[in-house]
């Protein structure tokens, strides 16, 4: 009997070699699963994973990051652009490097996007105990700061001996490649184990393909879904991010063309239909369009496709008001399919929509319903035009004028990235998505600081594509460090910095809930504790330039449009900086959002806000 062939490598070397041989396959097309590794090195990973990345530089691309959280954001943007069929790894030292991963991991898992986290850890042997940056727990010696990653990871393991990596690495790949399970995956790697050698079986390094399933629905569930759709008089589709992840956009369009059922979209689902499709009604919920929210209030069947039904989508349980409204959820994850006491269709979005279309052959909504929502769409288009169009090219632009200028410059292939502040609401209402990948909003975690690093990951996934990161001054100040990485890696991302001297979104919310915009403006603090002085003398454009970007300043609508045009054609990282007129030019919220207001207060603003809150919350219902 022949002995099993082995290869003697360190644990870190074996992991890099293993990752380089992993692939996904869907619809007969193969993709590399781990396309590269981001890293910031310290004593917990430089001698193990750092050396391994040098050893295997020819098969594992390395990207040098500046901030650990930002590296995860870059990897998440990369995975989303590639429809979750590829991911990236992120390695950090122990201690603060590892704990900086927590926010990014939460964002990845909440948004169901794959990223592999490889933080260093304490010595498994406890030979050096406590070591630099080690957390000592008085009764649980096997706890480290990496345990903070457990609740935000879809899979977690601490690899305390070399051969344990074999099972853990395979489980990690299984979760990363499973569309129903994916999210952040953490393999905590003690620094002594990283450097230990082991005789690895050659089979561990063989090319391995993880097939991404397209499960079909249960026949009984499909038959019930068909009956529900046929019985509905005012059905409405809510398209979520699952439409994009499944590459189901064409299947959705075919379903809509056949049935006439209109589509409203979540932040993650926007672009599921082109904006000019007659059945595309735009965003839904608190930041949705008037036509979407009006139809939602009278819908008798809400068909969720790949959506989690968050509070922004349901207007905190107040949007779907018809007494007999029922829900049908098509989702690859049973956990999400069962929300809102829905009929379930647990399956891949493309597969499920195709089978529904076939089974509903000949069925179509009433012509009067189509005429109603098309008329509503036309009315909303006039609202959009008025918000985006500036009457005077020499005026200081408002935030919606910034979006209008960008809309006039971008092509169908451009990608627009945003995550937090007042921009997501304006974009959800007003942006006219021209392709499935153009609208890239991270709103599951709405994480300030996501946009710039995510743009890097998207640019890596789509070289040659114009990629725009839209940020307000608040978000910029949270995490601008990856500008340096963009310069270093020659990634020609386009950054649009909107300066409005504070937290515009949360300032408006603060006012509406009786908190009087306290602590939301970037201004000098007065003697009485209020922030009412002049704006701070902060020059974000100069900061971006100091980090290596080409910077274009725009003061008028005309200058803005010219700067955006120049930036789109730039071949190096470029920033367009614009100070906006703070006047509100976006349409107001069409639906409520629950932010509890102080029940008692001595301040009139809070008393008035509480009265309004009690009127709104009375409309909430639990769908059973």
């Amino acid at each position: 009997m022949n002995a099993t062939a082995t290869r003697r490598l360190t644990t870190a070397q074996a992991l890099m070699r293993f990752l380089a041989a992993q692939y996904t396959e869907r619809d007969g097309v193969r993709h590399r699963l781990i396309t590269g590794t981001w890293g910031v090195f310290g004593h917990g990973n430089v001698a193990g994973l750092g050396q391994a990345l040098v050893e295997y530089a020819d098969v594992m691309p390395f990207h040098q990051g500046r901030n650990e959280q930002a590296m995860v954001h870059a990897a998440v943007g990369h995975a989303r652009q590639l429809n979750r069929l590829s991911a990236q790894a992120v390695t950090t030292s122990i201690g603060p490097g590892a704990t900086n991963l927590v926010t990014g991991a939460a964002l990845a898992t909440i948004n169901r996007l794959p990223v592999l986290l490889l933080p260093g850890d304490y010595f498994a042997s406890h030979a050096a105990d406590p070591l630099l940056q080690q957390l000592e727990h008085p009764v649980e010696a096997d706890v480290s700061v990496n345990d903070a990653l457990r609740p935000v990871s879809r899979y977690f393991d601490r690899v305390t001996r070399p051969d344990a990596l074999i099972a853990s690495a395979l489980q990690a790949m299984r979760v990363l490649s499973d569309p129903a399970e994916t999210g952040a995956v953490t393999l905590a790697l003690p620094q002594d184990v990283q450097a230990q050698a082991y005789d690895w079986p050659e089979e561990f390094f063989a090319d391995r393909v993880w097939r991404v399933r397209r499960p079909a629905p249960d026949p009984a569930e499909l038959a019930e879904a068909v009956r529900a759709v046929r019985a509905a008089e005012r059905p409405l589709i809510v398209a979520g991010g699952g439409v994009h992840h499944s590459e189901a956009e064409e299947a959705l369009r075919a379903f809509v063309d056949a049935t006439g059922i209109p589509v409203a979209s979540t932040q993650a689902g926007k672009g599921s239909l082109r904006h000019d499709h007659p059945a595309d009604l735009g965003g839904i919920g608190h930041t949705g369009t008037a036509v979407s929210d009006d139809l939602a209030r009278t819908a008798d069947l809400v068909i969720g496709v790949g959506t989690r039904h968050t509070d922004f989508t349901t207007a905190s349980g107040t949007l779907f008001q018809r007494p007999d409204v029922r829900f049908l959820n098509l989702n690859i994850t049973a956990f999400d399919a069962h929300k809102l006491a829905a009929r379930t269709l647990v399956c891949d979005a493309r597969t499920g929509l195709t089978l529904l279309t076939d089974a509903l052959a000949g069925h179509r909504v009433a012509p009067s319903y189509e005429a109603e929502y098309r008329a509503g769409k036309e009315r909303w288009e006039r609202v959009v035009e008025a918000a985006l169009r500036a009457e005077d090219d020499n005026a200081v632009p408002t935030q919606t004028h910034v979006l209008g200028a960008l809309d006039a410059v971008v092509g169908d292939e451009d990608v627009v990235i945003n995550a937090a502040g007042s921009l997501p609401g304006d974009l959800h209402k007003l942006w006219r998505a021209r392709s499935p990948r153009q609208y890239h909003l991270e709103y599951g975690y709405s994480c300030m600081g996501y946009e710039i690093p995510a743009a890097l990951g998207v640019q890596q996934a789509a070289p040659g594509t114009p990629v725009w990161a839209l940020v307000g001054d608040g978000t910029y100040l949270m995490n601008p460090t990856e500008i340096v990485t963009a310069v270093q890696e020659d990634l020609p991302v386009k950054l649009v910095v909107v300066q409005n001297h504070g937290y515009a979104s949360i300032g408006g919310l603060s006012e509406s809930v009786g908190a009087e915009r306290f602590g939301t403006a970037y201004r000098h603090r007065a003697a009485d504790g209020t922030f009412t002085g002049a704006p701070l003398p902060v020059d974000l454009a100069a900061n971006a330039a100091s980090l290596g970007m080409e910077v274009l300043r725009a003061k008028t609508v005309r200058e803005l449009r010219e700067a955006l045009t120049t930036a789109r054609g730039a071949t190096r990282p470029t920033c367009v900086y614009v100070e906006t007129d703070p006047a509100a030019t976006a349409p107001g919220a069409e639906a409520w959002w629950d932010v509890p207001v102080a029940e008692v207060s001595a301040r009139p603003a809070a008393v008035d806000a509480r009265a309004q809150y009690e009127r709104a919350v009375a409309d909430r219902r639990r769908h059973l």
Side-chain angles (χ1 to χ4, degrees), residues 355-514:
L355 290 174
L356 265 180
T357 303
D358 293 343
L360 286 164
H363 174 76
R364 193 171 183 86
V365 298
S368 59
Y369 184 50
E370 285 192 74
E372 176 187 344
Y373 70 68
R374 291 187 181 197
K377 177 181 173 68
E378 289 178 5
R379 289 193 297 273
W380 184 255
E381 281 298 317
R382 292 193 288 272
V383 172
V384 172
E385 281 293 332
L388 298 182
R389 185 179 63 252
E391 298 296 337
D392 181 3
D393 268 5
N394 295 314
V396 174
T398 65
Q399 183 164 282
T400 59
H401 295 157
V402 173
L403 299 184
L406 187 62
D407 175 74
V409 168
V410 300
D412 290 10
E413 69 276 20
D414 293 36
V415 179
V416 176
I417 301 172
N418 187 240
S422 56
L423 274 165
D426 292 353
L427 284 160
H428 199 207
K429 292 188 191 82
L430 303 174
W431 189 258
R432 298 181 282 209
R434 308 175 195 179
S435 63
R437 296 259 62 89
Q438 185 177 78
Y439 188 88
H440 184 126
L441 263 282
E442 188 290 295
Y443 216 59
Y445 210 41
S446 187
C447 186
M448 295 177 73
Y450 171 81
E451 295 91 338
I452 297 174
L456 273 60
V458 171
Q459 192 74 80
Q460 289 174 332
T465 297
V467 178
W468 302 84
L470 310 187
V471 302
D473 49 299
T475 287
Y476 181 90
L477 289 169
M478 284 275 182
N479 199 4
T481 55
E482 298 315 308
I483 287 175
V484 178
T485 305
V487 173
Q488 180 180 28
E489 299 228 351
D490 198 25
L491 297 170
V493 295
K494 295 90 173 62
L495 174 61
V496 180
V497 178
V498 179
Q499 172 65 278
N500 52 27
H501 300 289
Y503 300 119
S505 173
I506 212 68
L509 178 62
S510 173
E511 185 174 28
S512 72
V513 299

Side-chain angles (χ1 to χ4, degrees), residues 142-438:
D142 63 341
V143 167
S144 81
V145 296
N146 286 328
D147 287 274
L149 288 160
R150 288 181 184 271
V152 293
S153 297
R154 293 294 291 173
Y155 178 79
F156 178 99
D157 194 16
R158 179 175 287 110
V159 182
T160 56
R161 49 184 289 171
D163 56 330
L165 176 67
I166 295 175
S168 294
L170 290 169
Q171 288 287 4
M173 299 304 104
R174 176 190 64 80
V175 175
L176 288 171
S177 61
D178 187 338
E181 292 290 331
T182 198
V185 167
T186 301
L187 296 182
L189 300 168
Q191 56 183 304
D192 54 344
V193 176
Q194 291 181 43
Q196 289 172 2
Y198 180 74
D199 293 323
W200 303 88
E202 283 288 351
E203 291 88 345
F204 186 56
F205 307 119
D207 286 0
R208 190 179 301 268
V209 178
W210 302 84
R211 287 189 170 80
V212 180
R213 305 178 186 90
R214 288 197 181 277
D218 177 86
E221 284 194 342
L222 179 61
E224 186 174 345
V226 169
R227 287 193 293 272
V229 175
R230 288 188 179 278
E233 295 180 350
R234 300 181 63 82
L236 174 67
I237 296 168
V238 176
V243 175
H244 294 310
H245 299 327
S246 176
E247 299 175 292
E249 296 90 357
E250 286 301 313
L252 176 64
R253 186 174 61 80
F255 178 75
V256 170
D257 288 345
T259 63
I261 300 174
V263 176
S265 55
T266 69
Q267 287 279 17
K270 195 171 171 78
S272 295
L273 287 182
R274 254 186 76 101
H275 75 93
D276 52 4
H277 190 286
D280 179 68
L281 307 183
I284 190 170
H286 177 62
T287 54
T289 68
V291 59
S292 288
D293 288 350
D294 284 347
L295 257 67
R297 294 183 181 97
T298 60
D300 57 357
L301 180 68
V302 179
I303 306 169
V305 183
T307 177
R308 298 187 298 125
H309 288 298
T310 67
D311 63 338
F312 256 56
T313 298
T314 67
S316 300
T318 65
L319 184 58
F320 305 109
Q321 294 180 357
R322 183 165 166 150
D324 62 345
V325 64
R326 290 293 179 266
F327 297 85
L328 168 64
N329 287 338
L330 191 164
N331 204 294
I332 200 166
T333 306
F335 178 84
D336 291 317
H338 282 275
K339 289 176 178 175
L340 301 176
R343 295 178 174 89
T344 60
L345 208 57
V346 180
C347 59
D348 168 74
R350 181 196 286 185
T351 302
L353 286 168
T354 299
L355 290 174
L356 265 180
T357 303
D358 293 343
L360 286 164
H363 174 76
R364 193 171 183 86
V365 298
S368 59
Y369 184 50
E370 285 192 74
E372 176 187 344
Y373 70 68
R374 291 187 181 197
K377 177 181 173 68
E378 289 178 5
R379 289 193 297 273
W380 184 255
E381 281 298 317
R382 292 193 288 272
V383 172
V384 172
E385 281 293 332
L388 298 182
R389 185 179 63 252
E391 298 296 337
D392 181 3
D393 268 5
N394 295 314
V396 174
T398 65
Q399 183 164 282
T400 59
H401 295 157
V402 173
L403 299 184
L406 187 62
D407 175 74
V409 168
V410 300
D412 290 10
E413 69 276 20
D414 293 36
V415 179
V416 176
I417 301 172
N418 187 240
S422 56
L423 274 165
D426 292 353
L427 284 160
H428 199 207
K429 292 188 191 82
L430 303 174
W431 189 258
R432 298 181 282 209
R434 308 175 195 179
S435 63
R437 296 259 62 89
Q438 185 177 78

Side-chain angles (χ1 to χ4, degrees), residues 67-201:
N67 174 281
E68 293 87 357
Q69 177 181 315
M71 293 192 299
V72 185
H73 293 338
V76 167
H78 186 81
R80 176 170 170 174
Q81 181 69 19
L82 297 174
N83 296 319
R84 305 192 298 192
L85 297 170
S86 294
Q88 292 177 319
V90 176
T91 179
T92 72
S93 181
I94 72 169
T99 50
N100 281 350
L101 296 174
V102 174
T103 296
L107 182 149
T109 296
I110 285 171
N111 286 287
R112 317 297 208 260
L113 292 165
V115 60
L116 176 61
L117 307 181
L118 304 173
D121 214 321
Y122 59 60
F123 281 67
S125 66
H126 292 275
D129 194 14
L131 68 154
L132 178 65
Q133 298 180 325
Q134 181 178 342
L135 171 72
E136 293 183 273
H137 195 287
V139 295
E140 296 181 84
D142 63 341
V143 167
S144 81
V145 296
N146 286 328
D147 287 274
L149 288 160
R150 288 181 184 271
V152 293
S153 297
R154 293 294 291 173
Y155 178 79
F156 178 99
D157 194 16
R158 179 175 287 110
V159 182
T160 56
R161 49 184 289 171
D163 56 330
L165 176 67
I166 295 175
S168 294
L170 290 169
Q171 288 287 4
M173 299 304 104
R174 176 190 64 80
V175 175
L176 288 171
S177 61
D178 187 338
E181 292 290 331
T182 198
V185 167
T186 301
L187 296 182
L189 300 168
Q191 56 183 304
D192 54 344
V193 176
Q194 291 181 43
Q196 289 172 2
Y198 180 74
D199 293 323
W200 303 88

